[in-house]
Amino acid sequence: MTTTPTTGHAREAAPDSPAALASQAAEPPSPGRQGADSPHARAAAPLTHAPWEALVTAALLGTDRRRPPLTMPGKDAPAALLDAAAVQTVHRRAGLRPAPAAARPEPAPADPRPVVPRAARRRLATLLADHPTAGGGRRGTAPDLMELLPQWLALANERGFAAPPELLPALLTAARGRTDLRPQVLAFAGPRALWLARLNADWKFALRAAPTTASAPDQRDEAETERRWQEGLFAERVALLTSLRGQDPDAARALLVSTWTTERAEDRLMFLDSLRTGLGPADEPFLEQALGDRSRNVRSTAAELLSALPDSALAARMAARASSCVALDRTTSTPTLTVEAPHECDAGMERDGVVPKPPAGRGQRSWWLGQLVEAAPLAVWPGRLGGRTPAAIVALPVADDWRGELHAAWCRAAVRQRDADWSRALLGSPSAPDAAGPGAVSLAERAKLLAALPEGERAAWVAGFIDAHGLSEAFQLLGVCAVPWAPGLGRAVVDALNIARDAGSYPWSFSGVMGLAERCLDPAEAVRLDALTALPDEPEDASPGAGGYWAEAFQRLATTLRLRAAMREELTP
C-alpha cells in the first residue's frame, strides 16, 4: 500500500472558497514562487497586487463590510476577490516542491489459517454492508443482519477460518462502532488487523483491544516478558498478565508481586482482578498480604478472592463468625433457624473485607450479617445445622423475619462459590407460585444461580419456569441459557409466544424475547414456525392490528432461523 506524498496545501479546499482563503492566511505567497515571468502571471498582474492578508480579511468579513483593495472592470467586488484568490492559489501550488516519499511499510504478516469459503465471503460482505435504520421499532419480515454478524464471526472463529483480506477494512470499521464485536473481529482478522491498525488512526482501538492470546510472549523468553511488563502501556500490561495467568498462574503472580508496591491503586485493583483466572491455594499468601492494602477496593477484592478459596484462613475466620450468628433452635415443635446479627464491626472484620458503613436505608447489623454469611464457605452449614442437605436447610423456617436477609446472603455465596447444590436449593421449583423463588431476592439473582447449573439442567429449569409463569418474567433467565437453546426450551418459548398471540397482545411487549429467539433458537425450529406466519383471526378483545404484527414477527423469526442455517452450512469446511 503506497500513499501520495503531501505537503503544505496539497489538501486545500477549492481555491475559490472562503475556506481556502482562511486556510492560507497564515502563509502569505512568496514572490519567488509565483513565476512572475510567466505569461499567466503577467496577465494576472492587475489582480495580484493586493496583499494576501487583505484578501483573506475581505473574504472572512464579507465584501460589503471590507472592500478588497483591487479592481476588475466589469466584475463586482465578490467576483473580483475570488478571481484574485484563485490566481494566487494557483501560483502558490505551482511553486511547491514535493517532499521525499516515505519509506514503504513492511509487508503484512502471513495468516496460516484458510480463508472462509466463497459463499461465506459473500455472506460476510452482506452482513457488513447492513446498517441499522434510524426509525424506532422493527417492522417487516427482513432479518436484522447486524444482529447476525456476531454469530457469523463466532462460528468462523470456532472453525478456524481467516478473514478475506479485502474485507479487513470493513471489519475494523464495524468493530470501531461496536465494542461488543471487537474481540471476535480481532480474533477473526488475525495479525493483519494489527498491521492495518498501525497505519490508520481510526483503528487504533485494535492495538489496545487485541486478543490476549496474541499478546502472550513466549514463556521461555523471560527477558521479553519482563520488558513488556515494565515498559508496556496499562492495557498491554493487563493483557500480558491475563494471558500469562492462563498459561502459568505462578509466573503471572510473581510478575505482579515484583512491582506491586509501586503500582497505582486503580492499577492494583485491575491487576488483582486478573487472579480470578486460575485462582488456587498458592495465591493465598499474596492475597492475605493484599488485605492490608491502603485501598479499600483492593482489600475488598482480595477478601472476595480469598472467600472463594474454601480452605483459606480468611474463609475459616468468616465461617467462625457466620456460624456464631446462625443457630438451629430445636426447642420448638418445628426446628427453626435463629439469627443473632453482629453488634459491631471490629478491626478484624474490616480487614477481612467487611464494609462497616451500610448503604442508605439498610440497617448496620443486617448489613454486617449479610457480608459474613456471603463470605463463609457453604460447606460449613450442613455440619452446623444437624447434617441437613442444602435443600433441607433452605426449607427451614427462620425466626424474626431474618429469612430474606439470610437467603439472599446464601444466594450470593452460591454464586461466588459456584455451588450447584446450593444454587439448585435456592432456585427451588420453577413452577413455584412465587416467581422470585424461595431464596432469590430478584429474578436477576435467580439468573446468577442458574449459571452454576449444567447446561441441560439450566435449560430444563427455564422451560418449566416459562410454562408456569409465561415469558414476561423469563427474559433475564433466557439470557443465561446455552446457545442454541435446547429443544425443550425452544419449544417452550415458541409455545408461549403463540399463547401471547392468541391472547391478542401486541408483539412489542415481547420484542426482547423475539430478539433473543432470533439469535438463540435452534434453526430446526423454523419448520414449527411456518404455521404461525399466517395472519390469524383476531378475537374481539384483541388489540387492533395485533394479528398483522404477530404474523410479521413470526415470518421474520422463521426467515432469520433459515438464514442462520444457511450461514452454518456456508461455513462448513
Side-chain angles (χ1 to χ4, degrees):
M1 177 165 53
T2 60
T3 57
T4 302
T6 59
T7 60
H9 306 282
R11 294 185 179 177
E12 294 180 20
D16 58 348
S17 67
L21 302 179
S23 67
Q24 300 174 58
E27 185 183 351
S30 173
R33 291 160 50 186
Q34 291 184 11
D37 294 334
S38 68
H40 297 287
R42 287 194 297 271
L47 298 176
T48 57
H49 70 278
W52 181 256
E53 292 81 357
L55 296 178
V56 173
T57 302
L60 294 176
L61 297 179
T63 55
D64 56 339
R65 298 178 60 191
R66 178 66 61 86
R67 189 171 185 84
L70 52 85
T71 58
M72 179 182 289
K75 291 192 175 184
D76 56 11
L81 171 65
L82 295 176
D83 285 348
V87 170
Q88 289 207 23
T89 299
V90 171
H91 289 173
R92 290 160 61 85
R93 290 179 174 173
L96 289 177
R97 295 181 179 180
R104 287 175 177 266
E106 293 294 325
D111 193 334
R113 300 172 297 174
V115 179
V116 291
R118 185 179 302 275
R121 189 179 311 186
R122 290 194 296 266
R123 180 76 65 190
L124 176 60
T126 302
L127 297 178
L128 291 171
D130 185 70
H131 298 285
T133 58
R138 289 184 57 196
R139 289 299 309 275
T141 60
D144 188 348
L145 299 185
M146 284 300 292
E147 289 302 318
L148 291 176
L149 182 58
Q151 293 195 30
W152 192 99
L153 291 168
L155 189 57
N157 286 328
E158 177 187 326
R159 299 187 173 180
F161 285 117
E166 70 274 12
L167 293 180
L168 286 174
L171 279 165
L172 287 171
T173 300
R176 182 192 180 200
R178 286 184 58 176
T179 56
D180 62 308
L181 289 178
R182 290 180 182 179
Q184 293 176 335
V185 164
L186 294 177
F188 179 55
R192 293 178 177 177
L194 303 183
W195 182 85
L196 283 174
R198 295 186 182 98
L199 303 175
N200 188 334
D202 290 342
W203 300 331
K204 280 187 176 179
F205 71 86
L207 303 178
R208 300 188 297 268
T212 55
T213 54
S215 301
D218 189 337
Q219 294 186 56
R220 295 168 297 182
D221 192 348
E222 296 182 2
E224 174 64 12
T225 301
E226 181 67 21
R227 184 193 67 79
R228 292 173 62 176
W229 177 249
Q230 295 288 347
E231 301 176 7
L233 300 175
F234 173 69
E236 295 171 337
R237 299 178 74 206
V238 171
L240 172 64
L241 187 65
T242 304
S243 176
L244 193 59
R245 183 71 180 176
Q247 300 175 16
D248 188 345
D250 293 338
R253 185 182 61 256
L255 196 66
L256 179 57
V257 170
S258 67
T259 60
W260 178 257
T261 57
T262 62
E263 304 288 355
R264 300 181 306 168
E266 55 267 32
D267 293 351
R268 293 198 304 274
L269 181 62
M270 289 293 295
F271 292 145
L272 193 64
D273 199 62
S274 68
L275 297 187
R276 297 181 190 277
T277 302
L279 182 67
D283 298 314
E284 182 179 358
F286 171 67
L287 293 173
E288 275 284 344
Q289 177 187 351
L291 289 176
D293 195 273
R294 56 184 179 274
S295 167
R296 186 181 70 180
N297 290 332
V298 172
R299 295 196 303 269
S300 297
T301 301
E304 179 187 348
L305 293 173
L306 283 169
S307 67
L309 297 173
D311 296 326
S312 67
L314 179 137
R317 295 193 295 270
M318 288 298 193
R321 293 173 180 133
S323 297
S324 66
C325 297
V326 181
L328 184 64
D329 184 2
R330 295 184 174 89
T331 61
T332 59
S333 58
T334 301
T336 302
L337 293 178
T338 59
V339 175
E340 181 68 25
H343 291 274
E344 64 172 347
C345 180
D346 57 34
M349 291 168 58
E350 194 169 348
R351 181 182 182 274
D352 284 345
V354 176
V355 179
K357 186 176 180 180
R362 185 79 178 274
Q364 277 188 330
R365 297 182 64 196
S366 65
W367 172 245
W368 297 333
L369 172 73
Q371 295 180 78
L372 294 181
V373 174
E374 175 184 354
L378 290 166
V380 72
W381 298 112
R384 171 71 173 164
L385 303 175
R388 288 174 169 81
T389 64
I393 293 174
V394 170
L396 288 171
V398 183
D400 300 328
D401 295 327
W402 281 103
R403 181 178 185 273
E405 187 68 46
L406 183 60
H407 283 199
W410 276 336
C411 281
R412 296 192 297 271
V415 170
R416 179 184 295 188
Q417 299 172 36
R418 299 194 64 81
D419 191 299
D421 291 334
W422 275 90
S423 296
R424 195 175 292 115
L426 291 162
L427 280 166
S429 170
S431 59
D434 184 7
V441 295
S442 66
L443 284 172
E445 283 285 346
R446 238 175 176 184
K448 295 176 183 177
L449 291 170
L450 278 170
L453 300 183
E455 292 181 0
E457 183 180 356
R458 197 184 316 165
W461 196 96
V462 177
F465 183 91
I466 293 173
D467 290 340
H469 303 286
L471 285 174
S472 58
E473 302 284 349
F475 180 75
Q476 289 179 317
L477 306 180
L478 287 169
V480 300
C481 293
V483 177
W485 289 337
L489 177 58
R491 286 192 296 271
V493 171
V494 173
D495 290 345
L497 289 172
N498 190 23
I499 291 172
R501 182 192 68 159
D502 291 342
S505 304
Y506 273 122
W508 302 327
S509 303
F510 302 91
S511 58
V513 176
M514 273 289 188
L516 273 178
E518 291 175 10
R519 297 189 295 272
C520 304
L521 263 180
D522 192 320
E525 294 291 325
V527 176
R528 296 184 63 241
L529 292 170
D530 288 337
L532 305 178
T533 57
L535 190 65
D537 296 330
E538 295 185 3
E540 293 182 0
D541 57 346
S543 302
Y549 292 126
W550 276 110
E552 284 185 357
F554 280 122
Q555 289 173 31
R556 183 173 59 247
L557 177 55
T559 303
T560 302
L561 295 181
R562 289 190 168 92
L563 181 54
R564 286 175 50 207
M567 286 166 37
R568 180 172 292 273
E569 184 177 351
E570 291 164 355
L571 284 168
T572 300

Coordinates of all heavy atoms in Angstrom, one line a residue, residues 347-417:
A347 N -12.1 -4.4 64.0 CA -11.0 -4.2 63.1 C -10.7 -5.5 62.3 O -10.3 -5.4 61.1 CB -9.7 -3.8 63.9
G348 N -10.8 -6.7 62.9 CA -10.5 -7.9 62.2 C -11.5 -8.1 61.1 O -11.2 -8.5 60.0
M349 N -12.8 -7.8 61.4 CA -13.8 -8.0 60.3 C -13.6 -7.0 59.2 O -13.7 -7.4 58.0 CB -15.2 -7.8 60.9 CG -15.7 -8.8 61.8 SD -17.2 -8.4 62.8 CE -18.3 -8.0 61.4
E350 N -13.2 -5.8 59.5 CA -12.9 -4.8 58.5 C -11.7 -5.2 57.6 O -11.7 -5.0 56.4 CB -12.7 -3.4 59.1 CG -12.8 -2.3 58.2 CD -12.9 -0.9 58.9 OE1 -13.1 -0.9 60.1 OE2 -12.7 0.1 58.2
R351 N -10.7 -5.7 58.3 CA -9.5 -6.2 57.5 C -9.9 -7.3 56.6 O -9.3 -7.4 55.5 CB -8.4 -6.6 58.4 CG -7.1 -7.1 57.7 CD -6.1 -7.6 58.7 NE -4.9 -7.9 57.9 CZ -4.7 -9.1 57.4 NH1 -5.6 -10.1 57.5 NH2 -3.5 -9.4 56.8
D352 N -10.8 -8.1 56.9 CA -11.2 -9.3 56.1 C -12.3 -8.9 55.1 O -12.9 -9.8 54.5 CB -11.8 -10.4 57.0 CG -10.6 -11.1 57.7 OD1 -9.5 -11.0 57.3 OD2 -10.9 -11.9 58.7
G353 N -12.5 -7.6 54.9 CA -13.3 -7.2 53.7 C -14.7 -6.8 54.1 O -15.5 -6.4 53.2
V354 N -15.1 -6.8 55.4 CA -16.4 -6.3 55.7 C -16.5 -4.8 55.7 O -15.7 -4.1 56.4 CB -16.8 -6.8 57.1 CG1 -18.2 -6.3 57.6 CG2 -16.8 -8.4 57.2
V355 N -17.4 -4.3 54.9 CA -17.5 -2.8 54.8 C -18.4 -2.4 56.0 O -19.5 -2.8 56.2 CB -18.2 -2.4 53.5 CG1 -18.4 -0.9 53.4 CG2 -17.4 -3.0 52.3
P356 N -17.8 -1.5 56.9 CA -18.6 -1.1 58.1 C -19.8 -0.3 57.9 O -20.8 -0.4 58.6 CB -17.5 -0.4 58.9 CG -16.5 0.1 57.9 CD -16.5 -0.9 56.8
K357 N -19.8 0.6 56.9 CA -20.9 1.6 56.7 C -21.9 1.0 55.7 O -21.5 0.8 54.5 CB -20.4 2.9 56.2 CG -21.5 4.0 56.2 CD -20.9 5.3 55.8 CE -22.0 6.4 55.7 NZ -21.4 7.7 55.4
P358 N -23.1 0.8 56.1 CA -24.1 0.3 55.2 C -24.6 1.3 54.2 O -24.5 2.5 54.4 CB -25.3 -0.2 56.1 CG -25.2 0.8 57.3 CD -23.7 1.1 57.4
P359 N -25.2 0.9 53.1 CA -25.8 1.9 52.2 C -27.1 2.5 52.8 O -27.6 2.0 53.8 CB -26.2 1.0 50.9 CG -26.3 -0.4 51.5 CD -25.3 -0.5 52.6
A360 N -27.6 3.6 52.2 CA -28.7 4.3 52.7 C -29.9 3.3 52.8 O -30.2 2.5 51.9 CB -29.0 5.5 51.9
G361 N -30.6 3.4 53.9 CA -31.8 2.6 54.1 C -31.6 1.2 54.5 O -32.5 0.4 54.6
R362 N -30.3 0.8 54.9 CA -30.0 -0.5 55.3 C -29.5 -0.5 56.7 O -28.7 0.4 57.1 CB -28.9 -1.1 54.4 CG -28.6 -2.5 54.6 CD -29.6 -3.5 54.0 NE -29.2 -4.9 54.2 CZ -28.4 -5.5 53.4 NH1 -27.9 -5.0 52.3 NH2 -28.2 -6.8 53.6
G363 N -30.0 -1.4 57.6 CA -29.5 -1.5 58.9 C -28.1 -2.0 59.1 O -27.7 -2.8 58.3
Q364 N -27.4 -1.5 60.0 CA -26.0 -1.9 60.2 C -25.8 -3.4 60.5 O -25.0 -4.1 59.8 CB -25.4 -1.1 61.4 CG -24.9 0.3 61.0 CD -24.1 0.9 62.2 OE1 -24.4 0.6 63.3 NE2 -23.2 1.8 61.8
R365 N -26.6 -3.9 61.4 CA -26.4 -5.3 61.8 C -26.7 -6.3 60.6 O -26.1 -7.2 60.4 CB -27.2 -5.6 63.0 CG -26.8 -4.8 64.3 CD -27.6 -5.2 65.5 NE -27.4 -6.5 65.9 CZ -28.2 -7.3 66.7 NH1 -29.3 -6.7 67.1 NH2 -27.9 -8.5 67.0
S366 N -27.8 -6.0 60.0 CA -28.2 -6.8 58.8 C -27.1 -6.7 57.7 O -26.8 -7.7 57.0 CB -29.6 -6.5 58.3 OG -29.6 -5.2 57.8
W367 N -26.6 -5.6 57.5 CA -25.5 -5.4 56.5 C -24.3 -6.2 56.9 O -23.7 -6.9 56.0 CB -25.2 -3.9 56.5 CG -24.0 -3.5 55.6 CD1 -22.9 -2.9 56.1 CD2 -23.9 -3.6 54.2 NE1 -22.0 -2.6 55.0 CE2 -22.6 -3.0 53.9 CE3 -24.7 -4.1 53.2 CZ2 -22.2 -3.0 52.6 CZ3 -24.3 -4.0 51.9 CH2 -23.0 -3.5 51.6
W368 N -23.9 -6.2 58.1 CA -22.7 -7.0 58.5 C -23.0 -8.5 58.4 O -22.1 -9.2 58.0 CB -22.3 -6.6 60.0 CG -21.9 -5.1 60.1 CD1 -21.4 -4.3 59.2 CD2 -22.1 -4.4 61.3 NE1 -21.2 -3.1 59.7 CE2 -21.6 -3.1 61.0 CE3 -22.5 -4.6 62.6 CZ2 -21.5 -2.0 62.0 CZ3 -22.5 -3.6 63.5 CH2 -22.0 -2.3 63.2
L369 N -24.2 -8.9 58.8 CA -24.5 -10.3 58.8 C -24.5 -10.8 57.3 O -23.9 -11.9 57.1 CB -26.0 -10.5 59.3 CG -26.5 -11.9 59.2 CD1 -25.8 -12.9 60.1 CD2 -28.0 -12.0 59.4
G370 N -25.1 -10.0 56.4 CA -25.1 -10.5 55.0 C -23.7 -10.7 54.5 O -23.4 -11.6 53.7
Q371 N -22.7 -9.8 54.9 CA -21.4 -9.9 54.4 C -20.7 -11.1 55.0 O -19.9 -11.8 54.3 CB -20.6 -8.6 54.7 CG -21.1 -7.4 53.9 CD -20.3 -6.2 54.3 OE1 -19.2 -6.0 53.8 NE2 -20.8 -5.3 55.2
L372 N -20.9 -11.4 56.2 CA -20.3 -12.6 56.9 C -20.8 -13.9 56.2 O -20.0 -14.8 55.9 CB -20.6 -12.6 58.4 CG -20.0 -11.4 59.2 CD1 -20.4 -11.6 60.7 CD2 -18.5 -11.4 59.0
V373 N -22.1 -14.0 56.1 CA -22.7 -15.3 55.5 C -22.2 -15.4 54.1 O -22.0 -16.5 53.6 CB -24.2 -15.2 55.7 CG1 -24.8 -16.4 55.0 CG2 -24.6 -15.2 57.1
E374 N -22.2 -14.3 53.3 CA -21.8 -14.4 51.9 C -20.4 -14.9 51.8 O -20.0 -15.6 50.8 CB -21.9 -13.0 51.3 CG -21.4 -12.9 49.9 CD -21.5 -11.5 49.3 OE1 -22.0 -10.6 50.0 OE2 -21.0 -11.3 48.2
A375 N -19.5 -14.5 52.7 CA -18.1 -14.9 52.6 C -17.7 -16.2 53.2 O -16.6 -16.7 53.0 CB -17.2 -13.8 53.2
A376 N -18.6 -16.8 54.0 CA -18.4 -18.1 54.6 C -18.5 -19.2 53.6 O -19.4 -19.2 52.8 CB -19.3 -18.3 55.8
P377 N -17.7 -20.2 53.7 CA -17.8 -21.4 52.9 C -19.2 -22.1 53.1 O -19.6 -22.3 54.3 CB -16.7 -22.3 53.2 CG -15.7 -21.4 53.9 CD -16.5 -20.4 54.6
L378 N -19.9 -22.4 52.1 CA -21.2 -23.1 52.2 C -21.1 -24.4 52.9 O -22.1 -24.9 53.5 CB -21.9 -23.2 50.9 CG -22.3 -21.8 50.3 CD1 -22.7 -22.0 48.8 CD2 -23.5 -21.3 51.0
A379 N -19.9 -25.0 52.8 CA -19.8 -26.4 53.4 C -19.9 -26.4 54.9 O -20.0 -27.4 55.5 CB -18.4 -26.9 53.0
V380 N -19.8 -25.2 55.5 CA -19.9 -25.1 57.0 C -21.3 -25.4 57.5 O -21.5 -25.8 58.6 CB -19.3 -23.8 57.5 CG1 -20.3 -22.6 57.2 CG2 -19.1 -23.8 59.0
W381 N -22.3 -25.1 56.7 CA -23.7 -25.1 57.2 C -24.3 -26.5 57.5 O -25.0 -26.7 58.5 CB -24.6 -24.3 56.3 CG -24.2 -22.9 56.2 CD1 -23.6 -22.2 55.1 CD2 -24.2 -21.9 57.3 NE1 -23.3 -20.9 55.4 CE2 -23.7 -20.7 56.8 CE3 -24.6 -22.0 58.6 CZ2 -23.5 -19.5 57.5 CZ3 -24.5 -20.8 59.4 CH2 -23.9 -19.6 58.8
P382 N -24.1 -27.5 56.6 CA -24.6 -28.8 57.0 C -24.1 -29.3 58.3 O -24.9 -29.8 59.1 CB -24.1 -29.7 55.8 CG -24.0 -28.8 54.7 CD -23.5 -27.5 55.3
G383 N -22.8 -29.2 58.6 CA -22.3 -29.6 59.9 C -22.9 -28.8 61.1 O -23.1 -29.3 62.2
R384 N -23.1 -27.5 60.8 CA -23.6 -26.6 61.8 C -25.1 -26.8 62.1 O -25.6 -26.6 63.2 CB -23.3 -25.2 61.4 CG -24.0 -24.1 62.2 CD -23.3 -23.9 63.5 NE -23.8 -22.8 64.3 CZ -23.6 -22.6 65.6 NH1 -23.0 -23.5 66.3 NH2 -24.1 -21.5 66.2
L385 N -25.8 -27.3 61.1 CA -27.3 -27.4 61.2 C -27.8 -28.8 61.1 O -28.7 -29.1 60.4 CB -27.9 -26.5 60.1 CG -27.5 -25.0 60.1 CD1 -28.1 -24.3 58.9 CD2 -27.9 -24.4 61.4
G386 N -27.1 -29.7 61.8 CA -27.6 -31.1 62.0 C -27.4 -32.0 60.8 O -28.2 -32.9 60.7
G387 N -26.5 -31.7 60.0 CA -26.2 -32.6 58.8 C -27.2 -32.5 57.7 O -27.3 -33.4 56.9
R388 N -28.0 -31.5 57.7 CA -29.0 -31.4 56.7 C -28.4 -31.0 55.3 O -27.4 -30.4 55.2 CB -30.1 -30.3 57.1 CG -31.0 -30.7 58.2 CD -31.8 -29.5 58.6 NE -32.9 -29.9 59.6 CZ -32.7 -30.1 60.9 NH1 -31.5 -29.9 61.4 NH2 -33.7 -30.5 61.6
T389 N -29.1 -31.4 54.3 CA -28.7 -31.0 52.9 C -29.0 -29.5 52.6 O -29.8 -28.9 53.4 CB -29.5 -31.9 51.9 OG1 -30.9 -31.6 51.9 CG2 -29.2 -33.4 52.1
P390 N -28.5 -29.0 51.6 CA -28.8 -27.6 51.3 C -30.3 -27.3 51.1 O -30.8 -26.3 51.6 CB -28.0 -27.3 50.0 CG -26.8 -28.2 50.1 CD -27.3 -29.4 50.8
A391 N -31.0 -28.3 50.4 CA -32.4 -28.1 50.2 C -33.2 -28.1 51.5 O -34.1 -27.3 51.7 CB -32.9 -29.2 49.3
A392 N -32.8 -29.0 52.4 CA -33.4 -29.1 53.7 C -33.1 -27.8 54.6 O -34.0 -27.3 55.3 CB -33.0 -30.3 54.5
I393 N -31.9 -27.3 54.5 CA -31.6 -26.0 55.2 C -32.4 -24.9 54.7 O -33.0 -24.1 55.5 CB -30.1 -25.8 55.1 CG1 -29.3 -26.8 55.8 CG2 -29.8 -24.4 55.6 CD1 -27.8 -26.7 55.6
V394 N -32.5 -24.8 53.4 CA -33.3 -23.7 52.8 C -34.8 -23.8 53.1 O -35.5 -22.7 53.3 CB -33.1 -23.6 51.2 CG1 -34.1 -22.7 50.6 CG2 -31.7 -23.3 50.9
A395 N -35.3 -25.0 53.4 CA -36.7 -25.2 53.7 C -37.0 -24.8 55.1 O -38.2 -24.7 55.5 CB -37.1 -26.6 53.4
L396 N -36.0 -24.7 56.0 CA -36.2 -24.4 57.4 C -36.8 -23.0 57.6 O -36.4 -22.1 56.9 CB -34.9 -24.5 58.2 CG -34.3 -25.9 58.4 CD1 -32.9 -25.8 59.0 CD2 -35.2 -26.8 59.3
P397 N -37.8 -22.9 58.5 CA -38.3 -21.5 58.8 C -37.2 -20.7 59.6 O -36.3 -21.3 60.2 CB -39.5 -21.8 59.7 CG -39.3 -23.2 60.3 CD -38.5 -23.9 59.3
V398 N -37.2 -19.4 59.4 CA -36.3 -18.5 60.1 C -37.0 -17.6 60.9 O -38.0 -16.9 60.5 CB -35.4 -17.8 59.0 CG1 -34.4 -16.9 59.7 CG2 -34.8 -18.8 58.0
A399 N -36.6 -17.5 62.2 CA -37.3 -16.6 63.1 C -37.0 -15.1 62.9 O -36.0 -14.7 62.3 CB -36.9 -17.0 64.6
D400 N -37.9 -14.3 63.4 CA -37.8 -12.9 63.5 C -37.5 -12.2 62.1 O -36.8 -11.2 62.0 CB -36.6 -12.5 64.4 CG -36.9 -13.0 65.9 OD1 -38.1 -13.1 66.2 OD2 -35.9 -13.4 66.5
D401 N -38.1 -12.7 61.1 CA -38.1 -12.0 59.8 C -36.7 -11.9 59.2 O -36.4 -11.0 58.4 CB -38.7 -10.6 59.8 CG -40.2 -10.7 60.2 OD1 -40.9 -11.7 59.7 OD2 -40.7 -9.8 60.8
W402 N -35.8 -12.8 59.6 CA -34.4 -12.8 59.0 C -34.3 -13.7 57.8 O -33.2 -13.8 57.2 CB -33.4 -13.3 60.1 CG -33.1 -12.3 61.1 CD1 -33.5 -12.3 62.4 CD2 -32.2 -11.2 60.9 NE1 -33.0 -11.2 63.1 CE2 -32.1 -10.5 62.2 CE3 -31.4 -10.7 59.9 CZ2 -31.4 -9.4 62.4 CZ3 -30.7 -9.6 60.1 CH2 -30.6 -8.9 61.3
R403 N -35.4 -14.3 57.3 CA -35.3 -15.3 56.2 C -34.8 -14.6 55.0 O -33.9 -15.2 54.3 CB -36.7 -15.9 56.0 CG -36.7 -16.9 54.9 CD -38.1 -17.5 54.7 NE -38.2 -18.6 53.8 CZ -38.4 -18.4 52.5 NH1 -38.5 -17.2 52.0 NH2 -38.4 -19.4 51.7
G404 N -35.4 -13.5 54.6 CA -34.9 -12.8 53.3 C -33.5 -12.5 53.3 O -32.8 -12.7 52.4
E405 N -33.0 -11.9 54.5 CA -31.6 -11.5 54.6 C -30.7 -12.7 54.5 O -29.6 -12.7 53.8 CB -31.4 -10.7 55.9 CG -30.0 -10.1 56.0 CD -29.8 -8.9 55.0 OE1 -30.7 -8.1 54.9 OE2 -28.8 -8.9 54.4
L406 N -31.0 -13.8 55.2 CA -30.2 -14.9 55.3 C -30.1 -15.6 53.9 O -29.0 -16.0 53.4 CB -30.7 -15.9 56.3 CG -29.9 -17.1 56.6 CD1 -28.5 -16.8 57.0 CD2 -30.6 -18.0 57.6
H407 N -31.3 -15.8 53.3 CA -31.3 -16.5 52.0 C -30.6 -15.7 50.9 O -30.0 -16.2 50.0 CB -32.7 -16.8 51.6 CG -33.3 -18.0 52.3 ND1 -34.4 -18.6 51.9 CD2 -32.9 -18.6 53.5 CE1 -34.7 -19.6 52.7 NE2 -33.8 -19.6 53.7
A408 N -30.8 -14.4 51.0 CA -30.1 -13.5 50.0 C -28.6 -13.7 50.1 O -27.8 -13.7 49.1 CB -30.5 -12.1 50.1
A409 N -28.1 -13.7 51.3 CA -26.6 -13.9 51.5 C -26.2 -15.3 51.0 O -25.1 -15.4 50.4 CB -26.3 -13.7 53.0
W410 N -27.0 -16.3 51.3 CA -26.6 -17.6 50.7 C -26.6 -17.6 49.2 O -25.8 -18.3 48.6 CB -27.6 -18.7 51.3 CG -27.3 -19.2 52.6 CD1 -26.0 -19.2 53.2 CD2 -28.2 -19.7 53.6 NE1 -26.1 -19.7 54.5 CE2 -27.4 -20.1 54.8 CE3 -29.5 -20.0 53.6 CZ2 -27.9 -20.7 55.9 CZ3 -30.1 -20.6 54.8 CH2 -29.3 -20.9 55.9
C411 N -27.6 -16.9 48.6 CA -27.6 -16.8 47.1 C -26.2 -16.2 46.6 O -25.6 -16.7 45.7 CB -28.7 -15.9 46.7 SG -30.3 -16.7 46.7
R412 N -25.8 -15.1 47.3 CA -24.5 -14.5 46.8 C -23.3 -15.5 47.0 O -22.4 -15.5 46.2 CB -24.3 -13.2 47.6 CG -25.4 -12.1 47.2 CD -25.0 -10.8 47.8 NE -24.9 -10.7 49.2 CZ -25.9 -10.5 50.0 NH1 -27.1 -10.2 49.6 NH2 -25.7 -10.4 51.3
A413 N -23.4 -16.2 48.1 CA -22.3 -17.2 48.4 C -22.3 -18.3 47.4 O -21.3 -18.7 46.9 CB -22.5 -17.8 49.8
A414 N -23.5 -18.8 47.0 CA -23.6 -19.8 46.0 C -23.1 -19.4 44.6 O -22.4 -20.1 43.9 CB -25.1 -20.3 45.9
V415 N -23.4 -18.1 44.3 CA -22.9 -17.6 43.0 C -21.4 -17.4 43.0 O -20.7 -17.8 42.1 CB -23.6 -16.2 42.7 CG1 -22.9 -15.5 41.5 CG2 -25.1 -16.4 42.4
R416 N -20.9 -16.9 44.1 CA -19.4 -16.7 44.3 C -18.7 -18.0 44.3 O -17.6 -18.1 43.6 CB -19.1 -15.9 45.6 CG -17.6 -15.7 45.8 CD -17.4 -15.0 47.1 NE -17.9 -13.6 47.2 CZ -17.7 -12.8 48.2 NH1 -16.9 -13.1 49.2 NH2 -18.3 -11.6 48.2
Q417 N -19.2 -19.0 45.0 CA -18.5 -20.3 45.1 C -18.9 -21.3 44.0 O -18.4 -22.4 43.9 CB -18.8 -20.9 46.4 CG -18.2 -20.0 47.6 CD -18.6 -20.5 48.9 OE1 -18.7 -21.7 49.2 NE2 -18.9 -19.5 49.8

